[in-house]
PDB file of all heavy atoms in Angstrom:
ATOM      1  N   GLY E  58      -1.418  92.964  -0.835  1.00  0.00           N
ATOM      2  CA  GLY E  58      -2.255  93.767  -1.778  1.00  0.00           C
ATOM      3  C   GLY E  58      -1.409  94.653  -2.635  1.00  0.00           C
ATOM      4  O   GLY E  58      -1.900  95.435  -3.436  1.00  0.00           O
ATOM      5  N   VAL E  59      -0.090  94.574  -2.559  1.00  0.00           N
ATOM      6  CA  VAL E  59       0.781  95.374  -3.374  1.00  0.00           C
ATOM      7  C   VAL E  59       0.783  94.829  -4.833  1.00  0.00           C
ATOM      8  O   VAL E  59       0.610  93.616  -5.005  1.00  0.00           O
ATOM      9  CB  VAL E  59       2.206  95.391  -2.784  1.00  0.00           C
ATOM     10  CG1 VAL E  59       2.951  94.068  -3.145  1.00  0.00           C
ATOM     11  CG2 VAL E  59       2.955  96.557  -3.378  1.00  0.00           C
ATOM     12  N   HIS E  60       0.954  95.747  -5.775  1.00  0.00           N
ATOM     13  CA  HIS E  60       1.042  95.382  -7.176  1.00  0.00           C
ATOM     14  C   HIS E  60       2.467  95.114  -7.556  1.00  0.00           C
ATOM     15  O   HIS E  60       3.427  95.918  -7.234  1.00  0.00           O
ATOM     16  CB  HIS E  60       0.400  96.418  -8.081  1.00  0.00           C
ATOM     17  CG  HIS E  60      -1.079  96.432  -7.969  1.00  0.00           C
ATOM     18  ND1 HIS E  60      -1.730  97.106  -6.957  1.00  0.00           N
ATOM     19  CD2 HIS E  60      -2.066  95.898  -8.731  1.00  0.00           C
ATOM     20  CE1 HIS E  60      -3.074  96.974  -7.138  1.00  0.00           C
ATOM     21  NE2 HIS E  60      -3.250  96.211  -8.187  1.00  0.00           N
ATOM     22  N   PHE E  61       2.736  94.023  -8.268  1.00  0.00           N
ATOM     23  CA  PHE E  61       4.143  93.656  -8.631  1.00  0.00           C
ATOM     24  C   PHE E  61       4.104  93.036 -10.051  1.00  0.00           C
ATOM     25  O   PHE E  61       3.046  92.570 -10.447  1.00  0.00           O
ATOM     26  CB  PHE E  61       4.675  92.708  -7.601  1.00  0.00           C
ATOM     27  CG  PHE E  61       3.914  91.436  -7.424  1.00  0.00           C
ATOM     28  CD1 PHE E  61       4.317  90.316  -8.137  1.00  0.00           C
ATOM     29  CD2 PHE E  61       2.849  91.407  -6.584  1.00  0.00           C
ATOM     30  CE1 PHE E  61       3.522  89.149  -8.074  1.00  0.00           C
ATOM     31  CE2 PHE E  61       2.100  90.232  -6.448  1.00  0.00           C
ATOM     32  CZ  PHE E  61       2.440  89.086  -7.187  1.00  0.00           C
ATOM     33  N   PRO E  62       5.247  93.105 -10.691  1.00  0.00           N
ATOM     34  CA  PRO E  62       5.322  92.509 -12.109  1.00  0.00           C
ATOM     35  C   PRO E  62       5.137  91.035 -12.036  1.00  0.00           C
ATOM     36  O   PRO E  62       5.581  90.341 -11.058  1.00  0.00           O
ATOM     37  CB  PRO E  62       6.658  92.983 -12.623  1.00  0.00           C
ATOM     38  CG  PRO E  62       7.427  93.314 -11.386  1.00  0.00           C
ATOM     39  CD  PRO E  62       6.413  93.831 -10.377  1.00  0.00           C
ATOM     40  N   ALA E  63       4.545  90.491 -13.098  1.00  0.00           N
ATOM     41  CA  ALA E  63       4.218  89.080 -13.136  1.00  0.00           C
ATOM     42  C   ALA E  63       5.474  88.224 -13.045  1.00  0.00           C
ATOM     43  O   ALA E  63       5.423  87.044 -12.621  1.00  0.00           O
ATOM     44  CB  ALA E  63       3.415  88.711 -14.366  1.00  0.00           C
ATOM     45  N   SER E  64       6.668  88.750 -13.480  1.00  0.00           N
ATOM     46  CA  SER E  64       7.874  87.995 -13.463  1.00  0.00           C
ATOM     47  C   SER E  64       8.343  87.675 -11.986  1.00  0.00           C
ATOM     48  O   SER E  64       9.120  86.805 -11.793  1.00  0.00           O
ATOM     49  CB  SER E  64       9.006  88.745 -14.182  1.00  0.00           C
ATOM     50  OG  SER E  64       9.248  89.978 -13.573  1.00  0.00           O
ATOM     51  N   GLU E  65       7.794  88.459 -11.046  1.00  0.00           N
ATOM     52  CA  GLU E  65       8.212  88.243  -9.643  1.00  0.00           C
ATOM     53  C   GLU E  65       7.097  87.487  -8.946  1.00  0.00           C
ATOM     54  O   GLU E  65       7.167  87.384  -7.666  1.00  0.00           O
ATOM     55  CB  GLU E  65       8.498  89.598  -8.931  1.00  0.00           C
ATOM     56  CG  GLU E  65       9.569  90.390  -9.565  1.00  0.00           C
ATOM     57  CD  GLU E  65       9.741  91.785  -8.962  1.00  0.00           C
ATOM     58  OE1 GLU E  65       9.117  91.995  -7.861  1.00  0.00           O
ATOM     59  OE2 GLU E  65      10.379  92.637  -9.559  1.00  0.00           O
ATOM     60  N   ASN E  66       6.220  86.893  -9.615  1.00  0.00           N
ATOM     61  CA  ASN E  66       5.081  86.221  -9.013  1.00  0.00           C
ATOM     62  C   ASN E  66       5.534  84.959  -8.305  1.00  0.00           C
ATOM     63  O   ASN E  66       6.432  84.219  -8.713  1.00  0.00           O
ATOM     64  CB  ASN E  66       4.090  85.851 -10.133  1.00  0.00           C
ATOM     65  CG  ASN E  66       2.840  85.261  -9.474  1.00  0.00           C
ATOM     66  OD1 ASN E  66       2.533  85.531  -8.289  1.00  0.00           O
ATOM     67  ND2 ASN E  66       2.125  84.418 -10.248  1.00  0.00           N
ATOM     68  N   VAL E  67       4.977  84.740  -7.090  1.00  0.00           N
ATOM     69  CA  VAL E  67       5.204  83.557  -6.338  1.00  0.00           C
ATOM     70  C   VAL E  67       3.796  82.926  -6.148  1.00  0.00           C
ATOM     71  O   VAL E  67       3.073  83.236  -5.192  1.00  0.00           O
ATOM     72  CB  VAL E  67       5.774  83.847  -4.923  1.00  0.00           C
ATOM     73  CG1 VAL E  67       6.077  82.587  -4.179  1.00  0.00           C
ATOM     74  CG2 VAL E  67       7.103  84.579  -5.103  1.00  0.00           C
ATOM     75  N   PRO E  68       3.429  82.053  -7.078  1.00  0.00           N
ATOM     76  CA  PRO E  68       2.094  81.463  -6.932  1.00  0.00           C
ATOM     77  C   PRO E  68       2.024  80.393  -5.927  1.00  0.00           C
ATOM     78  O   PRO E  68       3.028  79.670  -5.656  1.00  0.00           O
ATOM     79  CB  PRO E  68       1.918  80.832  -8.389  1.00  0.00           C
ATOM     80  CG  PRO E  68       3.273  80.547  -8.861  1.00  0.00           C
ATOM     81  CD  PRO E  68       4.221  81.575  -8.222  1.00  0.00           C
ATOM     82  N   ALA E  69       0.941  80.340  -5.161  1.00  0.00           N
ATOM     83  CA  ALA E  69       0.732  79.355  -4.165  1.00  0.00           C
ATOM     84  C   ALA E  69      -0.798  79.168  -3.932  1.00  0.00           C
ATOM     85  O   ALA E  69      -1.485  80.151  -3.769  1.00  0.00           O
ATOM     86  CB  ALA E  69       1.376  79.782  -2.827  1.00  0.00           C
ATOM     87  N   ASN E  70      -1.208  77.969  -3.960  1.00  0.00           N
ATOM     88  CA  ASN E  70      -2.673  77.639  -3.767  1.00  0.00           C
ATOM     89  C   ASN E  70      -3.551  78.351  -4.771  1.00  0.00           C
ATOM     90  O   ASN E  70      -4.648  78.784  -4.466  1.00  0.00           O
ATOM     91  CB  ASN E  70      -3.141  77.972  -2.320  1.00  0.00           C
ATOM     92  CG  ASN E  70      -2.314  77.183  -1.307  1.00  0.00           C
ATOM     93  OD1 ASN E  70      -1.795  76.124  -1.609  1.00  0.00           O
ATOM     94  ND2 ASN E  70      -2.302  77.653  -0.078  1.00  0.00           N
ATOM     95  N   GLY E  71      -2.997  78.545  -6.021  1.00  0.00           N
ATOM     96  CA  GLY E  71      -3.798  79.252  -7.044  1.00  0.00           C
ATOM     97  C   GLY E  71      -3.912  80.715  -6.874  1.00  0.00           C
ATOM     98  O   GLY E  71      -4.681  81.370  -7.596  1.00  0.00           O
ATOM     99  N   ARG E  72      -3.166  81.296  -5.951  1.00  0.00           N
ATOM    100  CA  ARG E  72      -3.110  82.763  -5.780  1.00  0.00           C
ATOM    101  C   ARG E  72      -1.729  83.278  -5.997  1.00  0.00           C
ATOM    102  O   ARG E  72      -0.809  82.542  -6.058  1.00  0.00           O
ATOM    103  CB  ARG E  72      -3.628  83.145  -4.369  1.00  0.00           C
ATOM    104  CG  ARG E  72      -4.971  82.494  -4.014  1.00  0.00           C
ATOM    105  CD  ARG E  72      -5.461  82.983  -2.740  1.00  0.00           C
ATOM    106  NE  ARG E  72      -6.132  84.330  -2.915  1.00  0.00           N
ATOM    107  CZ  ARG E  72      -6.790  84.919  -1.935  1.00  0.00           C
ATOM    108  NH1 ARG E  72      -6.930  84.374  -0.710  1.00  0.00           N
ATOM    109  NH2 ARG E  72      -7.336  86.122  -2.110  1.00  0.00           N
ATOM    110  N   ASP E  73      -1.636  84.622  -6.123  1.00  0.00           N
ATOM    111  CA  ASP E  73      -0.418  85.229  -6.501  1.00  0.00           C
ATOM    112  C   ASP E  73       0.147  86.042  -5.260  1.00  0.00           C
ATOM    113  O   ASP E  73      -0.625  86.706  -4.519  1.00  0.00           O
ATOM    114  CB  ASP E  73      -0.627  86.253  -7.636  1.00  0.00           C
ATOM    115  CG  ASP E  73      -1.160  85.538  -8.859  1.00  0.00           C
ATOM    116  OD1 ASP E  73      -0.767  84.348  -9.125  1.00  0.00           O
ATOM    117  OD2 ASP E  73      -2.068  86.090  -9.496  1.00  0.00           O
ATOM    118  N   TYR E  74       1.480  85.898  -4.990  1.00  0.00           N
ATOM    119  CA  TYR E  74       2.058  86.560  -3.890  1.00  0.00           C
ATOM    120  C   TYR E  74       3.308  87.354  -4.412  1.00  0.00           C
ATOM    121  O   TYR E  74       4.010  86.860  -5.312  1.00  0.00           O
ATOM    122  CB  TYR E  74       2.403  85.549  -2.769  1.00  0.00           C
ATOM    123  CG  TYR E  74       1.225  84.932  -2.209  1.00  0.00           C
ATOM    124  CD1 TYR E  74       0.698  83.766  -2.761  1.00  0.00           C
ATOM    125  CD2 TYR E  74       0.549  85.513  -1.136  1.00  0.00           C
ATOM    126  CE1 TYR E  74      -0.437  83.135  -2.281  1.00  0.00           C
ATOM    127  CE2 TYR E  74      -0.574  84.917  -0.576  1.00  0.00           C
ATOM    128  CZ  TYR E  74      -1.061  83.762  -1.166  1.00  0.00           C
ATOM    129  OH  TYR E  74      -2.184  83.137  -0.668  1.00  0.00           O
ATOM    130  N   CYS E  75       3.662  88.458  -3.709  1.00  0.00           N
ATOM    131  CA  CYS E  75       4.749  89.304  -4.167  1.00  0.00           C
ATOM    132  C   CYS E  75       6.123  88.707  -3.759  1.00  0.00           C
ATOM    133  O   CYS E  75       7.103  89.008  -4.387  1.00  0.00           O
ATOM    134  CB  CYS E  75       4.593  90.702  -3.582  1.00  0.00           C
ATOM    135  SG  CYS E  75       4.778  90.724  -1.784  1.00  0.00           S
ATOM    136  N   SER E  76       6.187  87.867  -2.801  1.00  0.00           N
ATOM    137  CA  SER E  76       7.407  87.274  -2.320  1.00  0.00           C
ATOM    138  C   SER E  76       7.168  85.967  -1.645  1.00  0.00           C
ATOM    139  O   SER E  76       6.015  85.718  -1.217  1.00  0.00           O
ATOM    140  CB  SER E  76       8.092  88.258  -1.422  1.00  0.00           C
ATOM    141  OG  SER E  76       7.360  88.425  -0.278  1.00  0.00           O
ATOM    142  N   PRO E  77       8.139  85.139  -1.539  1.00  0.00           N
ATOM    143  CA  PRO E  77       7.965  83.865  -0.753  1.00  0.00           C
ATOM    144  C   PRO E  77       7.557  84.087   0.712  1.00  0.00           C
ATOM    145  O   PRO E  77       6.846  83.265   1.271  1.00  0.00           O
ATOM    146  CB  PRO E  77       9.373  83.200  -0.834  1.00  0.00           C
ATOM    147  CG  PRO E  77       9.992  83.795  -2.090  1.00  0.00           C
ATOM    148  CD  PRO E  77       9.492  85.230  -2.136  1.00  0.00           C
TER     149      PRO E  77
END
Side-chain angles (χ1 to χ4, degrees):
V59 77
H60 287 83
F61 58 95
S64 60
E65 299 173 14
N66 185 25
V67 182
N70 298 338
R72 307 188 77 174
D73 304 320
Y74 296 89
C75 65
S76 64

